[in-house]
Amino acid sequence: MKNSLRKFADSDLDQLDDDDMTEGKISGQISRLIDSTDSGIDVFEHGTVISVGDRICRVKGLADVMSGELLDFGGGLTGMVMDLDEEIGVVLLGNDSHLREGDEVRRTGKIVSVPVGDAMIGRVVNALGHPIDGKGRINTDLTRNIESPAPGVLHRKGVNVPLQTGIKAIDALVPIGRGQRELIIGDRQTGKTSIALDAIINQKGQDVICIYVAIGQKESTVVDVVNKLKRFGAMEYSIVVSANASEPAPLQYLAPYAGCAIGEYFMYNGKDVLIIYDDLSKQAVAYRELSLLLQRPPGREAYPGDIFYLHSRLLERAARLDEAAGGGSMTALPIIETLAGDISAYIPTNVISITDGQIFLESGLFHAGVRPAVNVGLSVSRVGGDAQMGAMKQVAGTLRMNLAQYRELQAFAQFGSDLDESTQKTLNRGEHMSWVIRQRQFSPVSVPDQVIQILAASEGFSDEVPIERMDDYLEKLVLYVKTNFPAYEGEVMTGAKLKKDSMYLLQTLIREFTDRYLDKVKKASADEEK
């Protein structure tokens, strides 16, 4: 009887009709609700808490419980089933200060899920999808399990549609395609989050839904990220999922899966999604904590044996789908923090082997003023030129090799006083190319503008321009080309390579402008000397 009354209390009382609320009507409708409530005997509906501590709970008496099922402990506290032993291992998803040994726990029959839908756009939510931005409830009835199978191979399309980040060093050297998984890796304070935010801001007007998942970040850091996205109008197409450093390990573990489930809704409905996981190394630490508390056997660096599966089942859900499966895409940019640049550590090597390439940020370059501090030798995109516009492919083909050669010569030149003319020429050009791919944060550059600037440096047009005047030179060069070649932008944005005549005209315009600019510089220098 107690079980039947509890089920009736949980039923949808909104079904009662507000019209003509006479005593007889109300009595009849309540009778119908009671009749429709399942009153079957359910021996295993309730269990008992036998131990609790450190956000971990042991429960007995739930014989038919499912892995990943949500359990109700009362008082607004829920938990997720993690271990299916004789004593059920549950991680608690909230404040467990009121929970005591012997308390009753109820099955819900539901796998842990989050709300999804268009109403999520522009909101800041926690790892369970509950709003934390003070804007009220999210008006959606749609939900999606946080764990779901990755799309099958037969429903995946090739990754050949570019996702532009607006960052020259990335779009030219390590291009990212829609549906790709590109790792951003580097030490603390090397600009990893800055690259992710720039990529989000550059999606404005591109019909891409962006999701930023903050894992183990300070609350003030997350607030700063949200304010930056608002300042550039990016929250209009973005969702922020946050599991702060002050929140329990179970929520930090669940946050990436919650963000992925929200993104999958849009992907399976034909939308393009960009999702940032910042950062997965903190999720791995949270999962290690849970696993040790659940008394699972520790392995390398005390991580559990299934730590690889933790990230592989998450990142494999990023894909570009065919029309039969929905036709959308989800591009994942996971972030991993290294210690002293050690990319051979356990978690970095795991995620590198799962992803389609990595953008390695070097602390030495960062402190030398190279921003973004992309190490061109260790950064790679396994999708490569397939996800790069034709015009960019034309001009950036030798850029990586030339930059790598410059960095090597630069280190060698520090120990030599007399350098031959050829070496000096290589160093000078490398310095100009290195300057071209430098970029301030929140200053995305369009692909047509990138092509002009990279061509000017890689073909040596800018070799004689003083380094301190390079920013001014590049800005005025872009304006000059666009003014004298009106069809240029449209031709680049088709995605095809520039025609022979167009490339010749582009080179001619760059040469003309450079000669005029250098004449002005020489004249200005002469006037200063006088």
Side-chain angles (χ1 to χ4, degrees), residues 120-127 130 132-133 197 200 210-214 222-223 225-227 229 235 238-243 259 262:
M120 300 291 288
I121 298 174
R123 302 302 300 267
V124 183
V125 299
N126 65 12
H130 302 152
I132 55 175
D133 53 7
L197 294 183
I200 291 175
C210 298
I211 302 170
Y212 177 82
V213 183
V222 179
V223 170
V225 166
V226 172
N227 287 337
L229 293 177
M235 279 304 290
S238 299
I239 303 163
V240 175
V241 180
S242 177
I262 293 169

Side-chain angles (χ1 to χ4, degrees), residues 391-502:
M392 181 64 82
K393 200 184 302 186
Q394 279 177 287
V395 302
T398 60
L399 187 62
R400 177 189 294 276
M401 185 179 66
N402 291 340
L403 281 170
Q405 186 181 16
Y406 162 66
R407 298 265 161 85
E408 187 179 345
L409 275 176
Q410 189 183 32
F412 171 75
Q414 293 176 349
F415 302 100
S417 55
D418 296 327
L419 300 174
D420 60 83
E421 187 180 342
S422 174
T423 302
Q424 290 178 355
K425 191 175 180 180
T426 302
L427 284 171
N428 181 53
R429 180 165 301 181
E431 189 177 9
H432 283 78
M433 284 192 296
S434 183
W435 191 276
V436 162
I437 62 172
R438 293 188 190 199
Q439 200 168 333
R440 291 187 298 273
Q441 191 181 4
F442 307 130
S443 303
V445 181
S446 67
V447 177
D449 293 4
Q450 291 185 37
V451 170
I452 295 169
Q453 296 179 11
I454 290 170
L455 181 62
S458 62
E459 300 245 339
F461 293 114
S462 63
D463 283 359
E464 295 181 31
V465 177
I467 282 292
E468 64 274 11
R469 290 182 174 266
M470 276 295 289
D471 288 340
D472 179 62
Y473 165 78
L474 293 172
E475 185 180 338
K476 291 178 178 175
L477 171 62
V478 168
L479 187 60
Y480 181 81
V481 171
K482 287 182 174 179
T483 303
N484 292 278
F485 189 177
Y488 164 73
E489 278 192 274
E491 190 168 337
V492 170
M493 295 309 291
T494 61
K497 290 185 177 182
L498 290 174
K499 297 173 186 174
K500 194 172 181 180
D501 292 345
S502 298

Side-chain angles (χ1 to χ4, degrees), residues 126-190:
N126 65 12
L128 299 176
H130 302 152
I132 55 175
D133 53 7
K135 294 182 180 179
R137 72 182 294 271
I138 296 171
N139 296 313
T140 179
D141 297 325
L142 303 171
T143 59
R144 187 175 179 86
N145 291 347
I146 62 166
E147 297 258 23
S148 60
V153 174
L154 296 179
H155 289 298
R156 291 176 183 255
K157 292 175 72 175
V159 180
N160 52 27
V161 177
L163 184 134
Q164 305 296 343
T165 64
I167 303 170
K168 291 179 277 188
I170 294 175
D171 292 342
L173 298 171
V174 279
I176 298 171
R178 299 192 179 191
Q180 188 174 345
R181 301 152 300 177
E182 184 79 6
L183 172 64
I184 302 173
I185 185 169
D187 284 0
R188 186 174 176 273
Q189 295 292 324
T190 51

Side-chain angles (χ1 to χ4, degrees), residues 236-257:
E236 297 170 5
Y237 52 87
S238 299
I239 303 163
V240 175
V241 180
S242 177
N244 300 326
S246 60
E247 294 186 5
L251 294 180
Q252 295 184 38
Y253 155 66
L254 288 177
Y257 297 105

Side-chain angles (χ1 to χ4, degrees), residues 267-478:
M267 177 178 71
Y268 285 108
N269 282 280
K271 294 280 190 179
D272 291 313
V273 178
L274 170 64
I275 185 165
I276 314 290
Y277 302 112
D278 190 8
D279 64 81
L280 290 187
S281 47
K282 288 186 177 68
Q283 187 209 17
V285 169
Y287 186 63
R288 174 171 62 184
E289 180 183 333
L290 292 179
S291 297
L292 292 174
L293 290 170
L294 287 166
Q295 299 180 354
R296 294 177 176 178
R300 177 178 166 186
E301 297 180 21
Y303 286 106
D306 63 343
I307 193 71
F308 182 90
Y309 182 52
L310 175 79
H311 291 146
S312 64
R313 74 177 189 265
L314 170 70
L315 295 172
E316 282 295 319
R317 290 159 74 177
R320 181 164 171 250
L321 304 177
D322 62 14
E323 298 304 322
S329 72
M330 184 156 64
T331 307
L333 298 184
I335 294 175
I336 289 288
E337 186 176 295
T338 55
L339 297 173
D342 184 15
I343 60 173
S344 63
Y346 191 25
I347 300 303
T349 51
N350 276 355
V351 182
I352 285 172
S353 65
I354 297 166
T355 51
D356 306 311
Q358 68 273 350
I359 299 166
F360 181 69
L361 303 179
E362 190 178 335
S363 56
L365 289 174
F366 185 85
H367 296 309
V370 179
R371 313 282 173 84
V374 177
N375 182 314
V376 296
L378 294 176
S379 300
V380 64
S381 172
R382 297 191 183 98
V383 172
D386 289 347
Q388 199 170 34
M389 286 197 173
M392 181 64 82
K393 200 184 302 186
Q394 279 177 287
V395 302
T398 60
L399 187 62
R400 177 189 294 276
M401 185 179 66
N402 291 340
L403 281 170
Q405 186 181 16
Y406 162 66
R407 298 265 161 85
E408 187 179 345
L409 275 176
Q410 189 183 32
F412 171 75
Q414 293 176 349
F415 302 100
S417 55
D418 296 327
L419 300 174
D420 60 83
E421 187 180 342
S422 174
T423 302
Q424 290 178 355
K425 191 175 180 180
T426 302
L427 284 171
N428 181 53
R429 180 165 301 181
E431 189 177 9
H432 283 78
M433 284 192 296
S434 183
W435 191 276
V436 162
I437 62 172
R438 293 188 190 199
Q439 200 168 333
R440 291 187 298 273
Q441 191 181 4
F442 307 130
S443 303
V445 181
S446 67
V447 177
D449 293 4
Q450 291 185 37
V451 170
I452 295 169
Q453 296 179 11
I454 290 170
L455 181 62
S458 62
E459 300 245 339
F461 293 114
S462 63
D463 283 359
E464 295 181 31
V465 177
I467 282 292
E468 64 274 11
R469 290 182 174 266
M470 276 295 289
D471 288 340
D472 179 62
Y473 165 78
L474 293 172
E475 185 180 338
K476 291 178 178 175
L477 171 62
V478 168

